[in-house]
Amino acid sequence: MKKALFLLLAAGMLSAQTSDLLSNNWYISKMVTSAGQTTNTPLIDGGVLPSKFTSAGGTSYSFSSKYYNTSGFLVGIMPGTNNMIMTANAGCTQLWYNGGNAVPVRNYDQKNCDYFANASYGSVFTYQVTTSGNLKTLVITSPSGNKMYYNNTSQLSTAENEIVKKEFRAYPNPVTDVLHLENVEKNLMLRIHDASGKLVYETKTADRKVKIDVQAFQAGSYILTVEGYKSLPFIKK
């Protein structure tokens, strides 16, 4: 009798978890590797987009894991379990993000794509939904033990969005010799990455006006980031 009651309770909990899984919008909040390394979701212009499960008929669903780009695939949710089996290989959109906090956002965006794309047809993921007050957290665990966390509410506050939206002035663009920056705060990290994402220059701002000698840079496209400001794409002639 006790065993039967336990099985009924377990089945009810799994049913509730499946209902929560399918009825909520989910906002990616962090990734944790099987080795325990945690990467929190970086601030992104416009906030994190909602991820969603959509019915594809029967026990089949499409899942779109969204950050800037979208990683999408089909899963079969196995009744009476917290398992999801991949029934079609994942694909990912290939949009190029040029907003604030660009380098961390792009790196995280690629991880979101790779998380599901690195799995193959027939791979089994597990999921768990936990509830704390109005906050629900979804954890999807890959076959290799890596975990993706989502919440049913966006994690970006108004204050954080305001920080990301600060801008500075930079000229000339395109530039040949010296790039001038104005309206930046002191003692902030300033970095320049090339189009491949390689770090080519790094310093701290010493004044509200900054001069950067780019004569030694190869001709091409670059992204300049200053901590807490929108990033700036520029061209070296």
Side-chain angles (χ1 to χ4, degrees):
M1 181 70 177
K2 289 183 179 180
K3 183 177 180 182
L5 181 59
F6 172 79
L7 290 174
L8 283 172
L9 288 171
M13 290 173 66
L14 286 171
S15 176
Q17 285 210 3
T18 302
S19 176
D20 284 338
L21 178 76
L22 304 177
S23 62
N24 282 280
N25 286 329
W26 298 105
Y27 300 84
I28 188 170
S29 62
K30 66 179 178 180
M31 302 178 191
V32 181
T33 68
S34 57
Q37 181 180 359
T38 299
T39 305
N40 293 317
T41 301
L43 298 177
I44 182 172
D45 288 357
V48 179
L49 297 174
S51 302
K52 183 76 175 175
F53 286 87
T54 305
S55 176
T59 59
S60 294
Y61 295 85
S62 63
F63 179 55
S64 300
S65 181
K66 295 184 178 182
Y67 181 48
Y68 185 69
N69 279 286
T70 300
S71 180
F73 62 101
L74 291 174
V75 294
I77 297 180
M78 302 167 69
T81 75
N82 61 343
N83 293 334
M84 300 186 299
I85 184 167
M86 184 178 283
T87 57
N89 290 339
C92 198
T93 57
Q94 297 294 320
L95 303 175
W96 182 253
Y97 177 76
N98 272 327
N101 208 24
V103 174
V105 167
R106 288 187 198 135
N107 290 338
Y108 195 83
D109 204 37
Q110 188 61 54
K111 288 180 180 179
N112 178 48
C113 287
D114 292 344
Y115 187 82
F116 298 105
N118 287 342
S120 57
Y121 174 85
S123 295
V124 177
F125 291 78
T126 61
Y127 71 90
Q128 182 178 18
V129 178
T130 58
T131 302
S132 177
N134 292 326
L135 177 66
K136 295 182 185 294
T137 300
L138 166 66
V139 184
I140 298 179
T141 305
S142 73
S144 60
N146 298 320
K147 297 178 185 294
M148 190 88 83
Y149 286 74
Y150 303 81
N151 292 327
N152 65 338
T153 180
S154 175
Q155 296 303 293
L156 292 185
S157 70
T158 303
E160 287 171 330
N161 276 313
E162 287 303 316
I163 291 173
V164 172
K165 290 179 181 178
K166 287 194 295 187
E167 297 183 11
F168 56 87
R169 181 172 178 243
Y171 62 92
N173 187 11
V175 59
T176 304
D177 301 314
V178 178
L179 184 65
H180 297 264
L181 275 60
E182 296 181 354
N183 300 325
V184 294
E185 296 176 13
K186 296 180 181 179
N187 298 318
L188 298 177
M189 289 305 303
L190 183 156
R191 297 181 178 93
I192 297 177
H193 293 78
D194 64 17
S196 72
K198 179 182 176 182
L199 179 67
V200 295
Y201 182 85
E202 185 176 38
T203 188
K204 274 197 171 184
T205 57
D207 202 343
R208 292 188 62 81
K209 293 184 179 181
V210 178
K211 295 181 181 180
I212 304 172
D213 187 346
V214 298
Q215 292 183 75
F217 287 24
Q218 296 291 323
S221 298
Y222 294 86
I223 299 291
L224 187 153
T225 58
V226 178
E227 182 183 352
Y229 287 77
K230 277 192 174 183
S231 60
L232 172 80
F234 72 92
I235 296 172
K236 166 63 169 60
K237 283 186 176 181

